[in-house]
Amino acid sequence: MTKVIHVVAAAIANSQGLILVAKRPDHVHQGGRWEFPGGKVEAGEASEAALVRELQEELGVEAQAWQPLIDLHHQYPDKHVRLQVFKVTAYGGEPYGKEGQPLRWLHPDQMQAEDFPAANVPIIQALKLPSLLAISPLSEDEQQLERWCLAQLAAGRKLLQLRQPQWPVAQRLALGRRLAPFCAEVGVTLMMNVPVQAYQHQPGLGLHLTEAELRACRQRPQPTEVWCSASCHSPDALALAQKWVDFALLGPVLATASHPEQPGLGWPQWQSWVESAALPVYALGGLLEQDLPQAREAGAQGIAAIRGLQC
Ligand SMILES: Nc1nc2c([nH]c(=O)n2[C@@H]2O[C@H](COP(=O)(O)OP(=O)(O)OP(=O)(O)O)[C@@H](O)[C@H]2O)c(=O)[nH]1
Ligand SMILES: [Mg+2]
């Protein structure tokens, strides 16, 4: 097995939510591309100590507060890297390119994957995605679901999923079409849980696949501008999600009222499955907003919930 190069990198966020990126010198690995500042973890060094050291060495700043963003492996033709990325939310000093590297502050939506090393695609996705994903509660009452959606928008949620497996597909699509303009107006994506062939794109909507639909995929189900996600219940499903969609939901972490027959995976198993996946993964199953720090420590993008995220 090739040696794994363990790298820590920082998505440093300023008060406007812009993220600092630096240009790699032309002569180094992945030279000329933009990167998240950071570097190799030294032998015997703890990851977070490496993070603090690298930001001091490369930018002259003192990292003061951070949280895990995503931890992934990537195989380049010439090397295998593990990129452990932290979102740095507080720092002392003004960053400058100590090694002469140009710096820029970018909104995640301005980041183009092709300007970064190939390993960075999931990191950019993780920066674009929020930490909470609210899933619609089962209901026969369309007005109640409209109220649910509008309440979620009012609460500032950025990512929703319209589930309703008990409804005919046409009814799900019709409700999605009505809600889409409200979502689009405030930059929210409503993930539609409908068959791939039935999905019709419009601004404000995305496509969510069941695990069976994910397994049937032979290509990405929608162009890259359309968010696509999938439900996963095993490591091999996560590997497929990494290939065909932008993010996954993995669960149940705990047993839930909506799926009482499925025992919970528990955090240790959940974490061990996500460790080998290079895409953002939401933890699902019996979770509440206050479980977010634990979910992040386990490698989650955030939490997805029905009851846990009611407004
Ligand atoms: N820092 C950083 N490295 C990245 C990113 N994406 C990515 O593939 N890498 C790869 O991870 C490795 C990190 O190396 P680095 O050159 O930053 O390491 P370093 O700061 O310790 O430099 P040094 O070896 O010159 O002391 C490189 O192979 C680089 O191509 C990223 O966003 N940030
Ligand atoms: Mg570096």
Side-chain angles (χ1 to χ4, degrees):
M1 218 180 83
T2 51
K3 189 168 135 289
V4 177
I5 302 167
H6 183 184
V7 175
V8 288
I12 302 177
N14 70 11
S15 53
Q16 290 116 61
L18 303 180
I19 305 289
L20 188 67
V21 295
K23 198 163 193 177
R24 290 181 68 77
D26 286 331
H27 62 276
V28 302
H29 183 245
Q30 297 293 312
R33 295 185 186 244
W34 292 88
E35 68 164 10
F36 300 102
K40 300 176 193 79
V41 177
E42 290 172 359
E45 189 181 32
S47 303
E48 300 187 19
L51 180 79
V52 171
R53 176 182 54 71
E54 285 286 345
L55 297 188
Q56 189 56 255
E57 285 174 9
E58 295 190 356
L59 304 169
V61 295
E62 186 204 346
Q64 292 165 341
W66 58 82
Q67 66 203 30
L69 179 70
I70 192 166
D71 190 349
L72 58 90
H73 284 255
H74 184 84
Q75 180 72 59
Y76 285 111
D78 53 344
K79 57 176 82 174
H80 179 163
V81 292
R82 172 186 170 195
L83 283 172
Q84 194 180 358
V85 189
F86 295 86
K87 185 161 181 183
V88 174
T89 51
Y91 56 90
E94 249 333 286
Y96 69 101
K98 262 178 112 173
E99 297 165 344
Q101 72 279 33
L103 303 182
R104 283 182 74 185
W105 289 96
L106 289 181
H107 190 277
D109 291 338
Q110 294 173 298
M111 294 178 186
Q112 305 287 336
E114 55 277 14
D115 297 337
F116 291 79
N120 289 35
V121 171
I123 306 174
I124 296 170
Q125 285 163 346
L127 286 169
K128 290 180 181 174
L129 288 165
S131 47
L132 300 175
L133 193 180
I135 301 174
S136 64
L138 288 186
S139 171
E140 295 312 320
D141 180 349
E142 290 200 18
Q143 283 181 354
Q144 190 189 352
L145 282 167
E146 284 182 16
R147 285 198 299 276
W148 167 81
C149 180
L150 297 177
Q152 294 289 341
L153 299 186
R157 304 258 200 260
K158 291 291 170 205
L159 191 60
L160 309 175
Q161 189 198 114
L162 187 66
R163 189 160 162 267
Q164 304 311 308
Q166 82 286 16
W167 281 10
V169 172
Q171 191 181 1
R172 281 179 249 169
L173 287 169
L175 182 59
R177 268 197 297 279
R178 285 208 301 283
L179 294 172
F182 297 102
C183 294
E185 197 184 328
V186 288
V188 169
T189 305
L190 177 64
M191 303 300 294
M192 295 294 298
N193 200 326
V194 294
V196 175
Q197 299 75 12
Y199 179 79
Q200 290 161 352
H201 185 61
Q202 74 187 85
L205 299 185
L207 173 62
H208 179 78
L209 278 58
T210 61
E211 186 172 313
E213 285 161 352
L214 174 68
R215 288 183 188 282
C217 274
R218 295 296 173 264
Q219 59 183 27
R220 194 185 151 86
Q222 285 288 312
T224 48
E225 310 81 75
V226 181
W227 280 118
C228 295
S229 59
S231 291
C232 295
H233 303 96
S234 65
D236 66 309
L238 283 176
L240 288 172
Q242 187 179 319
K243 225 166 144 182
W244 304 129
V245 297
D246 300 301
F247 63 94
L249 280 64
L250 174 67
V253 180
L254 312 172
T256 63
S258 55
H259 300 83
E261 71 293 350
Q262 277 178 287
L265 294 169
W267 282 118
Q269 187 169 18
W270 193 94
Q271 178 166 1
S272 75
W273 287 4
V274 167
E275 260 159 19
S276 49
L279 86 166
V281 184
Y282 288 89
L284 173 76
L287 303 177
L288 304 171
E289 192 168 347
Q290 53 262 41
D291 295 314
L292 198 49
Q294 185 174 18
R296 284 205 182 105
E297 285 304 321
Q301 170 73 25
I303 62 168
I306 302 175
R307 283 167 196 78
L309 296 176
Q310 295 284 20
C311 300

